[in-house]
Amino acid sequence: MRITLSVIKADVGSIDGHLKPSAELVKAVKEHIQQKGKELIIDFYLTTTGDDVALLLTHTQGKDSEKIHKLAWDAFLAGTKVARKQGLYGAGQDLLADSFSGNVKGLGPAVAELEFEERENEPFLLFAADKTDPGAYNLPLYLGFADPMYNSGLILSPKMSKGFKFTVIDVNCTTADRVIELNVPEDLYDLASLLRDNERYVIESISSRNTGEPAAAASTCRLRNIAGKYVGKDDPVMLIRVQGEFPAAGEVLAPYSIGHYVAGFMRGSHTGPLMPVTSRSATSFFDGPPLVSCLGFCVREGRLTEPVDCFDHPFWDYVREKVSRKSLELREQGFSGPAMLPYAELEYGGIVEKMKMLEPRFRLRKK
Ligand code: 13P
Ligand code: 13P
Ligand code: MG
Ligand code: MG
């Protein structure tokens, strides 16, 4: 059966600033999908990561379906209503447009979609991150799909012998989608040259070169480019099919043991290590550290199994301790140097005003 997996995520309000949505908000979003989605979707699952609510919807409407996107948008509006009623912080934060028009892309919510003919067994992973931007997935995707140091299947499985095709998008180009396709292993160094710059070049999708089948899709929207100012971090979602011609689930997960430094953290303006957490974790220390959760499912004729919470395992407790240490080490230097993001990333916030104010106070010293 040909199905589409859509994950659509938004922050429409949370308790105590940007820590976690309320149970009542989550209930309102869920009930909206249950009631209004009956005829449209086959199955769904709702999860939260930090202050973000992610909706996984299975259906046969294809990618970019207006009906599916509107269902999610309206569900987030229902959540926003509760957020206002409860006095939650940032009610409707990620709904940047006054009304829905055709597709949630460009309106604020993050979206990632995969459309495919179901295999005999169809396992996949749903990632959701908080307090970071889409570039956070660049390194783990590179290592999980293109590096035999992490993906042993590139050596051991004939089903992956030809490697993968990466589609990378230049998120700084706002007039149109500026994309490039690179094939690994041949283009490996070119891919690395782009992915070095996580704030500009972001992996949008990956497909198998053995079968042509879609393997991964990630959200790439940058809220600052939509709003023109800082309104919250992008907090990207991602779907990855695993096993067979794709990496094993464990190969995709392995790079998250690094706790690599990403952009985000407090006020979306700092550098912090990405901490793998269980789903529905709240955000905490310094509005972070940047978080990533992962749920594993199988799907059959659009029906989902219960999820496996992939980072809910003693191994990841050890990683979380390491990431906590890495967080503290960089936080010790506060605003200085690499602890805070470079000016180009900050210029969507209040610092522009400060710089303007200081400008006339500079003087050129006479020789
Ligand atoms: P597949 O080759 O079926 O994906 O299985 C590999 C495996 O189980 C790796 O752990
Ligand atoms: P969110 O993007 O998760 O709402 O976080 C915003 C922020 O500025 C936290 O300090
Ligand atoms: Mg928020
Ligand atoms: Mg968030």
Side-chain angles (χ1 to χ4, degrees):
M1 180 175 169
R2 193 164 186 81
I3 60 152
T4 304
L5 303 177
S6 299
V7 55
I8 307 181
K9 173 252 60 161
D11 170 355
V12 291
S14 52
I15 306 171
D16 273 326
H18 298 277
L19 306 190
K20 193 177 181 165
S22 70
E24 202 174 323
L25 183 162
V26 167
K27 188 162 162 262
V29 175
K30 195 169 178 178
E31 282 178 356
H32 183 93
I33 302 289
Q34 275 163 341
Q35 285 159 16
K36 307 287 178 191
K38 265 189 216 137
E39 311 291 312
L40 193 56
I41 58 170
I42 304 171
D43 208 349
F44 83 102
Y45 191 85
L46 182 156
T47 187
T48 68
T49 304
D51 60 0
D52 293 294
V53 180
L55 286 168
L56 170 65
L57 308 168
T58 71
H59 56 92
T60 54
Q61 306 288 316
K63 293 199 274 188
D64 294 318
S65 154
E66 179 166 351
K67 286 184 194 159
I68 295 292
H69 284 221
K70 177 143 190 351
L71 176 67
W73 176 268
D74 288 344
F76 290 130
L77 280 182
T80 302
K81 215 167 140 191
V82 171
R84 293 220 166 92
K85 191 189 82 185
Q86 290 190 300
L88 299 191
Y89 192 75
Q93 179 185 289
D94 286 356
L95 307 183
L96 299 178
D98 295 332
S99 58
F100 178 80
S101 57
N103 190 309
V104 291
K105 274 184 196 153
L107 305 185
V111 55
E113 300 184 296
L114 284 173
E115 184 183 355
F116 53 83
E117 193 67 41
E118 282 177 351
R119 296 172 288 172
E120 221 165 89
N121 49 69
E122 192 56 67
F124 71 93
L125 303 173
L126 159 64
F127 285 86
D130 185 39
K131 307 296 181 273
T132 190
D133 61 27
Y137 294 133
N138 276 357
L139 182 65
L141 284 175
Y142 171 89
L143 296 174
F145 278 85
D147 187 344
M149 293 286 282
Y150 284 81
N151 181 345
S152 61
L154 294 171
I155 299 171
L156 300 174
S157 168
K159 296 179 194 161
M160 278 190 274
S161 57
K162 295 189 181 144
F164 291 93
K165 182 174 85 182
F166 285 69
T167 303
V168 175
I169 185 162
D170 174 357
V171 292
N172 278 4
C173 179
T174 51
T175 48
D177 287 355
R178 185 166 179 261
V179 293
I180 183 170
E181 289 182 351
L182 294 171
N183 288 318
V184 297
E186 308 90 282
D187 300 330
L188 194 72
Y189 295 168
D190 296 332
L191 182 64
S193 306
L194 293 178
L195 299 187
R196 189 200 59 75
D197 189 349
N198 290 322
E199 271 52 72
R200 177 158 187 191
Y201 299 109
V202 172
I203 297 169
E204 183 184 67
S205 62
I206 303 174
S207 59
S208 160
R209 293 176 72 198
N210 281 65
T211 61
E213 279 290 295
S219 66
T220 58
C221 84
R222 298 228 46 202
L223 294 177
R224 59 168 218 188
N225 292 342
I226 302 170
K229 60 176 193 241
Y230 179 69
V231 288
K233 218 52 184 170
D234 317 310
D235 302 341
V237 285
M238 174 165 73
L239 292 166
I240 301 186
R241 296 168 80 192
V242 291
Q243 304 297 133
E245 73 253 59
F246 308 120
E251 287 165 341
V252 173
L253 297 173
Y256 294 89
S257 61
I258 299 169
H260 65 300
Y261 288 107
V262 298
F265 227 155
M266 177 59 74
R267 299 178 189 275
S269 305
H270 295 80
T271 303
L274 189 64
M275 180 180 275
V277 293
T278 57
S279 76
R280 294 169 205 263
S281 289
T283 296
S284 182
F285 167 64
F286 200 60
D287 281 7
L291 311 176
V292 62
S293 71
C294 177
L295 293 175
F297 296 87
C298 275
V299 60
R300 183 76 176 173
E301 294 181 345
R303 294 251 159 241
L304 297 165
T305 59
E306 75 275 25
V308 174
D309 197 334
C310 298
F311 295 131
D312 186 9
H313 183 279
F315 173 81
W316 298 101
D317 292 338
Y318 176 74
V319 172
R320 284 188 275 272
E321 278 199 23
K322 177 178 102 169
V323 172
S324 298
R325 271 200 305 277
K326 288 179 74 165
S327 289
L328 287 171
E329 275 163 22
L330 197 53
R331 285 298 341 119
E332 279 171 5
Q333 65 179 67
F335 58 80
S336 182
M340 199 178 258
L341 296 182
Y343 187 75
E345 281 297 311
L346 302 182
E347 67 190 335
Y348 292 83
I351 200 152
V352 179
E353 294 308 310
K354 186 167 287 293
M355 288 303 173
K356 264 192 214 146
M357 196 185 74
L358 291 176
E359 192 54 37
R361 292 180 58 187
F362 275 96
R363 60 193 174 84
L364 292 175
R365 189 176 283 139
K366 293 203 173 68
K367 287 219 177 103

